[in-house]
Amino acid sequence: MTYGPSTPKPSPDALASHGAHHDDHGPYAPVFAAGTAPRAELDELLTRYPNKMAGLLPALWIVQRERGWVSDEAMAEVADALDLTAAYVKGVVTFYTMYHQHPVGKYFIQVCTTTPCHVCGAEGVVDAFLQHTGCGELGVTSADGRYTVIEVECLGACGFATPVMINEQFLESVTPQRVPEILAALP
Amino acid sequence: MGYPHPSHPRETPVLSKHFGEPEARTLKGWRDRGGYVALEKALKMDPAEIQTIVKDSGLRGRGGAGFPTGVKWSFMKPDGKQHYLCCNADESEPGTFKDREIMRWTPHALVEGVALGAYAIYASVAYIYIRGEFTEPLEQVRAAVKEAYAAGVIGENALGTGKTVHVHVHQGAGAYICGEETALMNSLEGRRGNPRIKPPFPAVAGLFGQPTTINNVETLAATPHILNNGAEWYKQFGRPDNPKSVGTKLFSVCGNVARPGNYEVPLGFNFGEFLWDLCGGAGEGREIKAVIPGGSSVPFLTAEECRTAVMDYEGFVAAGSMLGSGGVIVFDDRQDMVRQIARLCRFYAHESCAQCSQCREGTAWTTKILERIAAGDGVAQDFDTLLSIADNMTGKTICVLSDSCATPVVSGLKKFRHEFEAKLKASPNVVSFAGTATAAAAPRAAGPTV
């Protein structure tokens, strides 16, 4: 049995961009600048909780939606907005599997391979995605930056084996045969 | 109903009655189906009275632990403190996908149950913690909450009764352990999802340090039906000789089964009839080899044991397993049980929060040994090692994730030992000292280190 990583691997480019620069290599542009929609969204979210820290997971979701991943600079910004330390925020980010700590492909493909799907042939679906996206290896972004494929633990749709998530899109009962058609339908 | 399959005549659809009806997702559609009548009735009652009705109904937690819901609610007294209700919608027990269907087809059923539950425990604020991967349920429940707020069904002066019930949706970010109630509270507070040591129990110091009740989606969705129809009505579902397990229950069926999906039956249903008649048994030309009846954390049942098992809390225990979350995973005769158990343990190794040594080390170590056995490199001594690790992982940690990983190992070694033995190395890695003077004093030859 060979298994891949459960989180995507950083590409060499992504590693280079860690540190002083953001993914677009320019100065870091804040997500929650005053007067912006994300700022208003965060302010509204914070009214739901008795303290600012509880807004951490929601704030990180906004960052990921706006930027595609959660950079160190973004963690520092979130820390600042919620009166936390950047180290604390990083500790939380690294606990959860869904926050990307480096850029991923335009289409982030998660294939469930936990037991109920495993017995229904999920490994074949993983292989089909790796082959047809050109990724070749789990967690690696394809050369054109279009795809990243990972195995994910239980997506909670076990009766619809094999469930696959492509970004926010949730697909049910995916078979290896359906994979080319699914990929072709992506814009 | 067993969506996407049509309802089976032997089912008793209460919670699942409107699965598959897109109109039931809207406020109007839900009201047309009798929705929010129970909430209005409840908001005009004394919370203690609601607690009594739910206690009398015999409803028990549907998330896995089976704790009596009314009793849990009765821990919450009007003490002037800020109380919270958390709805556990982090459904992530492999094999379980019932809460997902409740949320994506009947989101208002959940919003109503949550608002009702919050009021019954003197809480003005409730959070629905939905796992991050559930994009469609998140979308549906968020839309339902928004609609309910806009129509004055929840919020300040809910349904014009002068009572305040706020309901908020909180999105998880990918962690099985956040389905554990204290880990869920930590996660909601913006922390890593590490379970907390109990006591203090949530009813004393829970979310944000305040008295808190945590209930599963299915549990809360059942409460409006109980308020509408009465405790006696709810108690009719179940076997007459077991008043401890009553009501209808959603069972999620998956794996190598002819008709996977959700099925709602009264507790006390015969498991053999359920598996072979309602779900159609294993696929074409296949036989069922093993079944996990209550989510991945409970022991295996063999096909023979399944035929006579009774589907309620006590019935599954008598059969040697547990009702758990109601996630039924079927393995057919093609499946290599060693490989499947290794895969299950790999899940737990991935999901361990790593704060307790027994779990952090035990889940990974167990997985390594099992994968080695599955690859044909096992030695007989591995069985003792596995059981010894399992023993050290059971009952010794903050939460039960560690126990859950030990369960399939112990139960697998008991029920499918022949499959494990068949995979051992043909010639064990033992050095023979036969015929030498040192033979008697020779220490036990060591197997390969893991």
Side-chain angles (χ1 to χ4, degrees):
Chain A
M1 254 181 296
T2 53
Y3 294 113
S6 57
T7 51
K9 290 177 183 171
S11 67
D13 281 353
L15 283 175
S17 73
H18 271 220
H21 296 292
H22 195 57
D23 49 333
D24 57 8
H25 301 284
Y28 178 71
V31 177
F32 299 109
T36 61
R39 179 75 236 181
E41 190 181 351
L42 181 63
D43 288 342
E44 191 279 318
L45 278 166
L46 290 175
T47 63
R48 303 177 182 184
Y49 308 98
N51 63 35
K52 282 186 168 184
M53 192 166 91
L56 180 50
L57 265 61
L60 292 168
W61 275 119
I62 296 174
V63 168
Q64 181 146 308
R65 189 192 63 210
E66 296 294 318
R67 297 290 154 83
W69 64 296
V70 184
S71 64
D72 285 354
E73 295 93 328
M75 291 183 215
E77 190 199 349
V78 168
D80 205 36
L82 302 178
D83 296 338
L84 302 165
T85 66
Y88 178 84
V89 172
K90 187 151 196 165
V92 172
V93 168
T94 52
F95 184 87
Y96 298 95
T97 55
M98 294 185 78
Y99 297 126
H100 305 317
Q101 293 162 59
H102 31 73
V104 296
K106 183 180 176 193
Y107 298 108
F108 186 66
I109 302 171
Q110 307 183 68
V111 185
C112 178
T113 60
T114 311
T115 307
C117 295
H118 192 241
V119 301
C120 294
E123 283 181 343
V125 180
V126 173
D127 290 343
F129 272 110
L130 287 177
Q131 185 199 329
H132 293 287
T133 55
C135 290
E137 200 185 323
L138 287 163
V140 171
T141 300
S142 60
D144 56 4
R146 202 169 150 83
Y147 305 108
T148 309
V149 182
I150 66 158
E151 285 185 8
V152 66
E153 294 292 355
C154 198
L155 283 177
C158 321
F160 310 95
T162 297
V164 174
M165 271 184 88
I166 302 183
N167 296 345
E168 296 288 290
Q169 197 188 353
F170 202 104
L171 306 170
E172 295 172 348
S173 310
V174 176
T175 56
Q177 293 72 35
R178 275 183 63 200
V179 169
E181 142 210 355
I182 288 168
L183 291 174
L186 294 175
Chain B
M1 61 176 267
Y3 175 84
H5 307 285
S7 191
H8 191 279
R10 293 281 283 127
E11 280 187 75
T12 307
V14 174
L15 303 173
S16 61
K17 197 174 170 188
H18 303 296
F19 285 5
E21 298 172 22
E23 318 82 65
R25 292 170 159 172
T26 62
L27 180 61
K28 185 186 176 297
W30 192 241
R31 281 198 151 133
D32 290 346
R33 287 162 179 78
Y36 292 112
V37 173
L39 179 61
E40 189 163 358
K41 189 174 164 189
L43 291 173
K44 290 174 181 163
M45 289 165 72
D46 182 51
E49 220 180 317
I50 305 171
Q51 293 180 357
T52 306
I53 294 173
V54 174
K55 203 190 278 181
D56 290 346
S57 76
L59 172 67
R60 291 168 67 176
R62 302 298 197 223
F67 194 83
T69 307
V71 176
K72 196 186 245 187
W73 286 8
S74 69
F75 297 151
M76 306 294 271
K77 309 283 185 205
D79 51 11
K81 293 180 184 166
Q82 172 70 56
H83 291 188
Y84 292 108
L85 176 79
C86 286
C87 171
N88 187 342
D90 191 60
E91 180 169 66
S92 37
E93 178 80 359
T96 318
F97 50 100
K98 60 186 177 67
D99 298 344
R100 172 178 187 261
E101 300 305 293
I102 292 175
M103 290 189 283
R104 67 200 278 245
W105 290 114
T106 57
H108 281 285
L110 179 62
V111 174
E112 183 174 9
V114 168
L116 192 158
Y119 177 70
I121 61 153
Y122 307 94
S124 56
V125 182
Y127 297 100
I128 306 176
Y129 184 103
I130 304 179
R131 62 178 299 189
E133 294 90 344
F134 273 1
T135 48
E136 194 186 348
L138 273 161
E139 187 187 326
Q140 293 299 337
V141 176
R142 277 182 177 143
V145 166
K146 200 172 164 190
E147 226 182 348
Y149 262 114
V153 171
I154 53 174
E156 277 157 31
N157 191 19
L159 289 166
T161 59
K163 310 288 169 48
T164 298
V165 186
H166 288 289
V167 179
H168 304 301
V169 174
H170 192 94
Q171 181 177 5
Y176 167 71
I177 193 57
C178 290
E180 198 278 340
E181 60 178 15
T182 58
L184 185 150
M185 295 189 304
N186 270 344
S187 180
L188 224 160
E189 290 180 12
R191 302 172 196 274
R192 293 165 70 90
N194 292 335
R196 301 174 181 174
I197 292 174
K198 292 187 274 192
F201 290 95
V204 176
L207 187 66
F208 305 114
Q210 300 300 120
T212 303
T213 297
I214 301 203
N215 289 124
N216 169 260
V217 169
E218 190 185 353
T219 313
L220 288 168
T223 56
H225 295 283
I226 294 170
L227 257 280
N228 273 335
N229 302 300
E232 288 307 314
W233 167 83
Y234 197 66
K235 279 198 274 193
Q236 67 171 306
F237 305 112
R239 48 180 169 143
D241 56 340
N242 184 15
K244 286 181 183 168
S245 288
V246 297
T248 62
K249 168 93 187 84
L250 278 166
F251 288 89
S252 311
V253 187
C254 61
N256 305 130
V257 61
R259 289 191 291 276
N262 279 290
Y263 295 83
E264 188 171 7
V265 292
L267 287 176
F269 206 85
N270 175 271
F271 196 37
E273 186 184 350
F274 179 82
L275 269 182
W276 279 277
D277 295 353
L278 273 68
C279 310
E284 188 73 36
R286 291 287 159 193
E287 294 294 330
I288 292 177
K289 181 200 274 187
V291 175
I292 294 180
S296 63
S297 304
V298 311
F300 290 102
L301 293 177
T302 61
E304 208 42 51
E305 289 166 330
C306 289
R307 286 191 192 277
T308 51
V310 177
M311 301 171 78
D312 61 22
Y313 295 97
E314 290 72 26
F316 274 129
V317 170
S321 189
M322 283 188 282
L323 176 77
S325 58
V328 179
I329 311 173
V330 180
F331 301 84
D332 72 16
D333 51 3
R334 287 169 303 180
Q335 298 305 329
D336 170 348
M337 294 313 286
V338 181
R339 196 158 174 257
Q340 291 310 332
I341 294 166
R343 182 64 189 85
L344 264 184
C345 291
R346 181 174 171 257
F347 168 80
Y348 290 107
H350 180 263
E351 300 297 341
S352 172
C353 87
Q355 65 174 337
C356 305
S357 323
Q358 293 91 334
C359 179
R360 181 184 61 243
E361 306 301 324
T363 52
W365 190 6
T366 301
T367 308
K368 278 185 186 175
I369 297 179
L370 286 168
E371 289 182 352
R372 187 160 49 70
I373 298 175
D377 274 332
V379 294
Q381 199 188 326
D382 287 335
F383 300 165
D384 291 339
T385 312
L386 282 172
L387 290 173
S388 159
I389 300 170
D391 184 45
N392 278 312
M393 288 170 70
T394 306
K396 297 187 172 67
T397 46
I398 292 174
C399 81
V400 293
L401 188 144
S402 180
D403 308 54
S404 303
C405 178
T407 301
V409 178
V410 175
S411 121
L413 269 172
K414 196 159 99 190
K415 291 178 177 166
F416 307 103
R417 197 176 180 100
H418 53 281
E419 291 197 30
F420 281 79
E421 283 168 348
K423 285 195 168 286
L424 295 184
K425 264 188 184 175
S427 51
N429 186 16
V430 173
V431 182
S432 172
F433 292 96
T436 69
T438 53
R444 186 179 55 172
T449 48
V450 180

